[in-house]
Each structure stands twice: as structure tokens, then as C-alpha cells.
Amino acid sequence: MKDEQVRELLYQALETELGGVEVYTTALRCVENDDLKEEWEEYLEQTKNHVQVVQDAMKKLGLDPKEETPGRKVVRHIGNALVQSMEMALKEGEPGAAQLVATEAVVLAETKDHQNWHLIGEVVKKAKGDVAKALKEAHEQVEPEEDEHLYHTTGWARELWIDSLGMKAVLPPPEEVKKVETAIGAARAAQGRTDML
């Protein structure tokens, strides 16, 4: 394994979690659906904890959580753009528009976040010693929550869009109702949505 790239992954993971706090904070200003609001409030608290988990793992590995890397700057820029898109929708959009933009922003942020944790899991499989131990502990705490964040919010985005198009939506979405935690479960929930109409 390339130690420098593992290090970069951890810095990007930290920045993604920090940006996630800002994304959820802004998304909560956009949300109109009470069930989605409740879910995002929970995800915001979990994401704040994820920041701490990554910082703790980095400190165990002798990394400075304040260090800047080129990749970290890019991740921050993308997170800021997601926040700005929601701010724009709040100022200029029709009712419901900001909520749709927020669901998409959360899906985009959680896609990167989910990939970070998947990759950290891959590192755990090959790492040894302190690196393996620190990252395994972090991965076990965070990864299951990241699955839920991505799959459930993707369902919300799809169903709120369907509703905005004037078609019958399943709200809360099947991913939420069925408590989906895997990609296979998410695919099955999406396929089975018509049975829930």
C-alpha cells in the first residue's frame, strides 16, 4: 500500500465529514417534510461524531488533523459549492425547490463520504499493526451509518422529485420504511416502491 495515499484518504475523509456538518446544517434550513427533518437531525449528530472518530484515528496514527492537503482543499471546495447551491435555492426557488436541492446536495456529499469509508475498509483489510487497529475501530463505528445516510437520502430525493412532478410518491421512501443498509437492499426497495403506492 502507498502510505502517502492512505494519509490523503484520511485527510479527505475528515474534510468530507466536516463539510457534511455544514451540508446537513444548511439542508435542515431547506427541509419541509417533518420525517426527513427528523432523519437529517439524526444524521447531523452522527456526522458530528464522525468528525471526532476520524480525528481520533488520525491522532492515533500521528497525523495532524489541521494539516492541509491539495485533495482536502478540493473536497472543501465541493462541500462549499453544495452549501451555496442550497443557499441559492432558498433565495430564488419556489416552495419545495430548496428541499429538492438539499436532498441532491446530501446525496452528493454522502456519495463521497460513503466511498471514503468503503476505501478505509479496504485499507483495513491490508493494513497491519497500529494502522489496522485504528482504522478498523473507526470503520466499525462509522460505516454502517454511512450506508444508511446514502441509501435513505437517495430514496428521499427520488420520491420528493416524483412528488414534485405531480406523480404519486412513496413518502417516507421504501428505503426508510424497510430500514435499508445495503446496496442490494436499496435496489430492492427502489424496485418494490410501486407495490407501496
Side-chain angles (χ1 to χ4, degrees):
M1 261 189 316
K2 297 179 180 176
D3 292 343
E4 189 60 31
Q5 199 61 8
V6 171
R7 191 173 165 277
E8 178 62 29
L9 173 61
L10 294 175
Y11 280 107
Q12 287 191 27
L14 176 58
E15 196 61 46
T16 304
E17 297 293 358
L18 289 166
V21 170
E22 298 306 314
V23 167
Y24 278 116
T25 300
T26 307
L28 282 165
R29 292 181 33 234
C30 301
V31 74
E32 296 174 20
N33 182 290
D34 290 337
D35 291 330
L36 180 56
K37 180 181 181 191
E38 184 178 324
E39 185 153 311
W40 281 352
E41 287 171 342
E42 177 185 348
Y43 293 175
L44 173 59
E45 291 311 307
Q46 289 174 345
T47 301
K48 288 177 181 178
N49 182 56
H50 298 172
V51 169
Q52 190 62 54
V53 169
V54 178
Q55 288 175 334
D56 290 348
M58 292 174 81
K59 287 175 186 173
K60 288 176 186 174
L61 299 175
L63 300 175
D64 177 4
K66 293 180 182 175
E67 184 178 326
E68 286 288 342
T69 69
R72 185 174 184 174
K73 290 176 187 175
V74 171
V75 170
R76 184 179 310 120
H77 178 78
I78 293 168
N80 288 339
L82 294 174
V83 168
Q84 289 171 2
S85 72
M86 289 183 280
E87 295 287 355
M88 185 185 305
L90 280 168
K91 288 179 188 166
E92 299 177 15
E94 298 293 319
Q99 181 173 251
L100 288 175
V101 171
T103 59
E104 291 177 343
V106 171
V107 168
L108 290 168
E110 288 295 355
T111 299
K112 167 66 171 155
D113 207 7
H114 188 264
Q115 178 168 286
N116 290 341
W117 286 100
H118 176 79
L119 293 170
I120 290 168
E122 292 299 311
V123 171
V124 167
K125 292 175 189 176
K126 299 286 184 190
K128 305 223 184 301
D130 291 340
V131 173
K133 184 179 181 207
L135 296 184
K136 183 176 185 208
E137 288 173 7
H139 186 263
E140 287 175 351
Q141 287 181 63
V142 174
E143 202 275 334
E145 292 175 349
E146 293 301 345
D147 288 341
E148 180 182 329
H149 294 187
L150 177 61
Y151 302 134
H152 290 213
T153 302
T154 299
W156 277 103
R158 181 193 62 243
E159 296 302 324
L160 288 170
W161 256 108
I162 288 171
D163 185 58
S164 78
L165 293 166
M167 296 184 284
K168 190 152 175 59
V170 179
L171 292 170
E175 293 84 349
E176 180 73 17
V177 173
K178 295 180 180 190
K179 306 209 181 303
V180 166
E181 296 177 351
T182 66
I184 291 170
R188 287 183 182 143
Q191 286 177 342
R193 68 173 294 281
T194 52
D195 297 336
M196 298 177 77
L197 291 172

